[in-house]
Every structure is written in C-alpha cells, then in structure tokens.
Amino acid sequence: MFIYCCLNLSVHRKSNCVICLQVFNAKTAELLSHHQVEIQQKFPKEGWVEQDPKEILKSVHECVERTCEKLQQLNIDITNIKAIGVSNQRETTVVWDKTTGEPLYNAIVWLDLRTQSTVERLLKRIPGNNKSFFKFRTGLPLSTYFSAVKLRWLLDNVEEIRQAVDDGRAMFGTIDSWLIWCLTGGKNGGVHCTDVTNASRTMLFNIHSLDWDPELCQFFDIPMEILPKVRSSSEIYGLMVCLFVCCLGDQSAALVGQMCFQDGQAKNTYGTGCFLLCNTGQKSVFSDHGLLTTIAYKLGRDKPVCYALEGSVAIAGAVVRWLRDNLGIVKTSQEVEKLAAEAGTSYGCYFVPAFSGLYAPYWEPSARGIICGLTQFTNKNHIAFAALEAVCFQTREILDAMNKDCGIPLSQLQVDGGMTNNKVLMQLQSDILCIPVVKPSMPETTALGAAMAAGAAEGVGIWSLNPGDLTAVTCERFEPQINPEESEYRYARWKKAVMKSMGWETSEAPSNGDTSIFCSLPLGFFIMSSMIMLIGAKYVSG
C-alpha cells in the first residue's frame, strides 16, 4: 500500500516557489516517485511578496498528473494510493469568493512586510508597547509574520474583499485551506477547513481552547464566519480521487517526519528560513527568551494536542539565492559551498541577512541586512563563508534561547531541509553549536511527516506512528572540530554585528486616512484582555 504525499508548497524570498508531490511506501517510508513545479512570485512593491492562488492550484493538478504517469511507468498501480496529505508554509494568506471559486486578491506570503505600519500603529495603542500582549492566548508576538495582520490589511485595502465580506461570499484561509477547498469540490461543496498547526499561526486562534478566539477576532475586526473549521492534523477531511486525509504546517510535518514524538526532542529545518522546533508534549511552555509557543500536532480527533517551542529565522537558504541572484557572485547555489570551502574562514567578515527584519529571538522589524568587518583583503569567498556562517549563528541564537526556556540543553541537533546537503554548512553548524549535528539520509522530512500523518489517520490506518514500528533512519553525523573558545569568540562578534543591524527602518502611520479598527478600541478593552490573559497564564502554568 502507498501513501500519496505531499502537496508541499515551498516559498523562496527572491526566486520561484516550488510545489512538489511525493509518493511514499507506507511500509518502508521509501520515496517512490515525485514531481515538482516552480511558480513565479510577484513583488509589486519593495517588501511585498505575493503568489497567484490559481497558479498554485494549476501547478498542483500538473504535479498530480505527472506523478501518476511516473508511477505507471514504474508499473505501480495508482489504485494503491490510499490517502493524500498536505504540508504548507503556514502564514501565507488567501481570501476567495465561495460563489465563483475565484481568489479575490493574490496570496500574501509569510515574508511580506507591507503590514509593518499596521503592527507599529497597534503597538502604540497597547499599554507598554508590548509585542507579547497576546502571548498567553496565541503563543505569538505581534509581527508582520502572522496571518491576522495580513488579513486585516486585505480588509482595509481591497474593496472587492470588503464587499465579499459584506455579501457573505468571502472565505479566508492559509494555502492548505485554499487547496483542500478547491480539491474537494470548490464552489460545489468544497470543504473549508484547516488544522490546528496552521490555525495556531494566525493570531486568531486560542492554543488552549483549540478554537478561534472571539475576543481576538473582535480585536482585529475579523468576521468569524469567513474562517475555516479547525480540525486535527490527522483525520479524513473529504474526498478527492482518494481520501483527502490531513494537513500539517510544514514545520510540524518535519517534526513528525523526524519522529520527534517525545518531550524534549527537537529538529531544525533549513529552507528559505530556518525553523527550530522542540516538542514540549501536552504542556504549552511560554518562552522568556523570544521564542514562539505553537501547536506541534494533533494526530487524530480524539488524540491529545502536543505543543512545541519554536524559533523562526526568516532568512537562511534565501541568503544563498541572494548571493546568486542579486550579487551575481555565483551562477548556482552549489557554488557557494565551494567558495566557502576555499576560504575556510570569513576573515573577520560578518553577514547579518535581516532582509525582512529579524525574527526570533528579537522580533525586530526595523533591522536590515548588513555585511561588516570588511577589509581590502575581503573577497567573494569570505562573503560566501560569512553567509553560511550567518545561518549557523542565527540557529545558535535560537538554540541558546531554547536551552534557557527548557532548562535541559540539547545534546545533539537533528536537521533536515534542502540546505543540509551543504556539508560545509553542516560542519560549521556543529562547530558553532559545539554539539553534534545529525542529518537523516532523506533530508526532505516535511513531506514524509505529512505522509505519516495521512497514513495513520482513523479510517486509513496503514502507517503506524508507534516508535517501535517505525523504520530506522540512516543518518550522517557532524562532530565539532574547533575548540569552544574560538566558537564563542566568533559568536560574540556576530552578536555585535546584529546590534548594528537594528533600527534602520521605520514605517510611520499616515496622519490621516487611517481606517484601522485599532483607533476606535477603548483602553478598557486592552486592560480587561490583559487581566484575562494573566489569569489564563497563571491557570496554564499551574
């Protein structure tokens, strides 16, 4: 038997994004076939990042057709396909018309910065300008990253969306919701749903009640009727060619694919950004050091929810593509590894790739990218080395914060994602963390995790998630090769560079024409909500 997975959407900052369909053997976890399609991203203005939802859907259909053809060429009967799982990058926001099935605007991608002024206006209206005001409900700080502010921007700026909401025609969702709705019937009865992992990245979802939060929706002035129904990460949602079973946010899918089912197990995914998740089990742990509290997974309607601490880095693999596409110092991404290996050092050069501000642990949208420590001796090899080192330093910052919050330092780091094919990067990561880095033989564990969740769903039941039943994974291990003193010295200079990257940009709110609902909310709303959250935090921690 086989699992049909994964409709996996990977988004890059300054290049195409990729939709990939992968087929796994449910007994051995072997990747049998795959097909991927690149789609263009749109950059209407500086800092804006969009995608065409219809192009995404068309590419999914193409992936399905081509993958089925490849399976037939391998003499694999496609009737053996038993379920479909979806993984997606989580915060990208879409609004569409349920009567016509048409998107009402391009999808706003997770890296998009257009809502920075909305966030800044909001912070000015919160006592103490507290970014973490909603932390004990949502696990998240106020940031351009999450879906609620993107949806607020759409409601404030796109007349077609405002009218569709007034007419009762609008539907909101992240990419998983858009695809599931379209693939299960669309305007002819499509299923409008999401799972707990994607919902937990909107800032509208209460991670304790596991439902949309009416007060948060009131705060953002988001009509609750446009929101999808929230389901578990592993259950039958509807029918396509076969059972359409589950969806998981990409980082949760990677956590499952790395088999991090126990408290304290963690993985780091190196893609466009970098995402370190540590499973905290059924307890929601709130960070004092700039990390997010998010839902790891809920693998069945009657199964308990598991939480994770997450450190999110906006720019990881994107910095390599920036060297290729923007600076032109290499023709392929693979050349960066060669240049860095030839240099063997950054020669005192440090690169802070804060192209979209800084995410965890700083949550500083005003930061911008800098390269410092340059001398006449510095060349492109040193800059390539500094770019890879920057990915490792950002991960070190996240790991330090996670170790402080969890109290038990990680003894090794499990890694996955496309960048882990870069052996120079993986060795650098081990050197900078001063712990081993362990890479599975198949780095694309995101799709595998979605396949596992789909195959394990009630009513499918062909993939066991019992650790004793799971296939052992062959791993490559990287051990530290420099002394801790040198690692600490380089890390301290990196931190100095980070401080210099901050405060470059501001986005002041316009003096008139501000239609944001935040202007009209009384201070009493904030004070009462704050008291409720503090009481809730005491209850949760108790």
Side-chain angles (χ1 to χ4, degrees):
M1 293 183 178
F2 306 105
I3 293 297
Y4 192 10
C5 179
C6 162
L7 304 180
N8 187 21
L9 178 62
S10 300
V11 182
H12 306 318
R13 178 65 179 91
K14 282 291 185 181
S15 65
N16 298 341
C17 71
V18 176
I19 293 176
C20 186
L21 188 66
Q22 293 164 301
V23 182
F24 294 91
N25 185 313
K27 299 299 183 185
T28 65
E30 175 190 2
L31 178 63
L32 299 174
S33 182
H34 76 282
H35 186 81
Q36 70 180 40
V37 176
E38 291 190 352
I39 63 174
Q40 291 290 330
Q41 293 201 102
K42 304 174 188 297
F43 305 95
K45 297 181 182 179
E46 177 62 30
W48 291 30
V49 190
E50 298 178 359
Q51 296 165 343
D52 181 351
K54 293 178 71 174
E55 185 181 0
I56 292 172
L57 181 62
K58 180 181 177 182
S59 299
V60 166
H61 284 299
E62 180 180 341
C63 281
V64 171
E65 292 173 6
R66 297 289 85 80
T67 303
C68 288
E69 290 174 3
K70 291 178 181 179
L71 288 173
Q72 290 172 337
Q73 291 168 7
L74 294 170
N75 293 319
I76 296 174
D77 188 346
I78 61 173
T79 61
N80 281 325
I81 295 170
K82 299 302 179 185
I84 301 175
V86 175
S87 81
N88 60 289
Q89 291 183 327
R90 298 162 291 181
E91 299 80 11
T92 300
T93 298
V94 188
V95 179
W96 66 93
D97 188 322
K98 66 182 178 183
T99 61
T100 65
E102 294 292 313
L104 294 167
Y105 193 81
N106 279 334
I108 300 181
V109 175
W110 63 282
L111 279 168
D112 188 282
L113 291 175
R114 75 186 69 189
T115 56
Q116 185 171 336
S117 60
T118 303
V119 172
E120 290 175 0
R121 290 198 303 270
L122 177 56
L123 282 173
K124 291 177 182 178
R125 292 165 172 84
I126 293 178
N129 293 336
N130 183 6
K131 294 179 185 178
S132 299
F133 191 76
F134 299 112
K135 181 171 81 170
F136 294 110
R137 290 193 193 195
T138 65
L140 312 175
L142 267 173
S143 168
T144 59
Y145 185 15
F146 306 111
S147 305
V149 289
K150 301 180 195 299
L151 180 53
R152 184 66 255 158
W153 186 93
L154 288 168
L155 290 166
D156 287 340
N157 291 277
V158 182
E159 175 60 33
E160 292 86 349
I161 290 179
R162 285 198 298 269
Q163 189 62 54
V165 170
D166 291 343
D167 295 344
R169 295 181 284 110
M171 284 183 163
F172 154 80
T174 43
I175 292 295
D176 58 301
S177 295
W178 163 246
L179 290 180
I180 292 169
W181 185 80
C182 291
L183 295 174
T184 56
K187 62 183 180 181
N188 299 313
V191 178
H192 187 210
C193 71
T194 188
D195 88 307
V196 290
T197 65
N198 283 289
S200 72
R201 311 296 289 194
T202 61
M203 289 204 78
L204 301 172
F205 186 74
N206 188 310
I207 61 174
H208 309 296
S209 67
L210 303 184
D211 207 348
W212 302 117
D213 190 301
E215 288 191 17
L216 289 171
C217 292
Q218 179 187 353
F219 175 78
F220 286 104
D221 196 19
I222 303 296
M224 296 185 72
E225 59 269 19
I226 74 172
L227 304 179
K229 182 178 180 180
V230 183
R231 312 279 286 270
S232 79
S233 308
S234 179
E235 62 178 274
I236 296 172
Y237 298 158
L239 294 175
M240 189 177 134
V241 177
C242 54
L243 296 179
F244 202 106
V245 181
C246 80
C247 71
L248 278 167
D250 54 354
Q251 302 312 317
S252 292
L255 195 72
V256 171
Q258 285 270 31
M259 303 176 195
C260 295
F261 295 122
Q262 303 300 316
D263 294 13
Q265 289 185 317
K267 66 86 200 173
N268 196 34
T269 299
Y270 298 76
T272 301
C274 218
F275 303 89
L276 178 56
L277 268 70
C278 180
N279 192 331
T280 63
Q282 296 178 43
K283 179 181 180 182
S284 53
V285 176
F286 292 94
S287 174
D288 293 322
H289 302 93
L291 303 183
L292 309 178
T293 304
T294 196
I295 292 180
Y297 50 76
K298 188 177 187 296
L299 297 175
R301 282 177 291 186
D302 301 322
K303 297 294 178 66
V305 66
C306 286
Y307 296 90
L309 274 175
E310 176 176 338
S312 309
V313 171
I315 303 296
V319 73
V320 173
R321 287 185 290 275
W322 184 83
L323 294 176
R324 181 192 68 193
D325 299 340
N326 292 45
L327 290 193
I329 67 174
V330 293
K331 292 182 179 179
T332 67
S333 298
Q334 290 72 27
E335 288 179 50
V336 172
E337 180 178 6
K338 181 181 178 182
L339 293 181
E342 290 174 357
T345 175
S346 69
Y347 201 76
C349 170
Y350 288 87
F351 192 161
V352 182
F355 302 151
S356 299
L358 290 169
Y359 282 15
Y362 302 102
W363 299 107
E364 184 49 70
S366 71
R368 287 297 179 268
I370 64 169
I371 302 175
C372 59
L374 301 175
T375 70
Q376 286 184 314
F377 182 74
T378 307
N379 60 36
K380 66 180 181 179
N381 296 33
H382 300 125
I383 292 174
F385 190 97
L388 296 185
E389 208 172 30
V391 176
C392 301
F393 284 135
Q394 290 179 103
T395 298
R396 167 72 186 269
E397 289 189 298
I398 298 301
L399 191 64
D400 282 358
M402 196 161 284
N403 286 340
K404 292 174 184 175
D405 284 324
C406 294
I408 303 175
L410 285 180
S411 58
Q412 66 178 30
L413 182 64
Q414 294 176 230
V415 300
D416 59 77
M419 286 193 83
T420 61
N421 292 321
N422 186 322
K423 293 184 183 294
V424 172
L425 175 68
M426 292 295 95
Q427 185 58 57
L428 270 174
Q429 188 66 88
S430 180
D431 290 343
I432 289 167
L433 297 180
C434 300
I435 59 174
V437 168
V438 180
K439 171 195 167 186
S441 55
M442 190 189 73
E444 297 299 338
T445 56
T446 300
L448 176 61
M452 292 166 64
E458 183 180 355
V460 181
I462 60 172
W463 203 317
S464 172
L465 297 183
N466 185 329
D469 298 332
L470 296 172
T471 305
V473 177
T474 304
C475 294
E476 185 176 4
R477 190 177 179 91
F478 297 84
E479 300 280 351
Q481 293 182 355
I482 65 173
N483 62 58
E485 290 76 17
E486 180 182 348
S487 176
E488 290 301 320
Y489 174 78
R490 285 155 61 177
Y491 183 48
R493 287 171 70 84
W494 154 264
K495 299 277 280 188
K496 184 178 179 180
V498 169
M499 292 301 107
K500 293 183 181 296
S501 76
M502 294 187 183
W504 284 89
E505 288 292 334
T506 58
S507 179
E508 295 298 331
S511 58
N512 52 40
D514 188 347
T515 60
S516 171
I517 52 91
F518 307 134
C519 300
S520 62
L521 284 172
L523 182 61
F525 176 87
F526 293 97
I527 295 173
M528 181 59 70
S529 294
S530 183
M531 291 174 64
I532 293 170
M533 289 179 207
L534 287 172
I535 293 169
K538 182 177 180 182
Y539 175 78
V540 170
S541 62

